[in-house]
């Protein structure tokens, strides 16, 4: 009976940890979607303002696009430090939290 109780406890613990990880992931995706809308609309506004300031609308959009290209290159170069390691650390931290901390 102890073994069956222990197995059931491990199943519940695994279910709880996986549900916490999934809930955190869903929350982050929702926030990311809202942030993407903000960035997209802000980029269009900035492109139009820069285009009027420069005198050609296409130049404003090109300037903003080059800025995003530069950010993309920087993120790609530092992807290990900026993305991979923090994501792995967060998942490991969630998986190995003690039951009292959850």
């Amino acid at each position: 009976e102890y073994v069956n109780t222990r197995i059931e406890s491990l199943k519940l613990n695994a279910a709880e940890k996986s549900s916490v990880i999934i809930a955190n992931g869903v929350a982050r995706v929702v926030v990311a979607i809202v942030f993407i809308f903000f960035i997209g609309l802000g980029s269009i506004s900035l492109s139009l303002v820069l285009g009027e300031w420069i005198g050609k609308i296409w130049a404003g959009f090109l300037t903003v696009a080059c800025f995003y290209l530069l950010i993309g290159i920087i993120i790609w170069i530092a992807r290990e430090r900026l993305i991979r390691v923090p994501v792995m650390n967060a998942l490991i931290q969630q998986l190995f939290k003690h039951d009292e901390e959850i």
Side-chain angles (χ1 to χ4, degrees):
E1 182 155 333
Y2 172 76
V3 172
N4 288 337
T5 304
R6 184 72 177 143
I7 290 172
E8 193 65 31
S9 173
L10 290 173
K11 286 180 184 178
L12 289 172
N13 193 13
E16 182 179 14
K17 287 183 180 188
S18 63
S19 67
V20 167
I21 290 172
I22 291 170
N24 285 341
V26 169
R28 288 180 179 161
V29 166
V30 169
V31 170
I33 290 171
V34 171
F35 191 66
I36 287 170
F37 277 117
F38 173 77
I39 293 294
L41 293 173
S43 297
I44 292 170
S45 300
L46 180 62
S47 297
L48 291 172
V49 168
L50 285 174
E52 281 188 28
W53 185 59
I54 293 172
K56 298 186 188 313
I57 297 295
W58 62 267
F61 280 93
L62 182 63
T63 304
V64 172
C66 288
F67 174 72
Y68 281 126
L69 178 64
L70 179 65
I71 290 174
I73 290 170
I74 291 170
I75 291 173
W76 181 257
I77 291 171
R79 70 186 176 273
E80 181 79 18
R81 187 171 25 103
L82 293 176
I83 298 170
R84 186 171 175 261
V85 172
V87 169
M88 286 174 45
N89 287 339
L91 283 173
I92 290 170
Q93 184 180 18
Q94 287 292 325
L95 285 173
F96 292 106
K97 271 187 178 180
H98 294 299
D99 293 335
E100 299 85 35
E101 295 177 2
I102 294 178

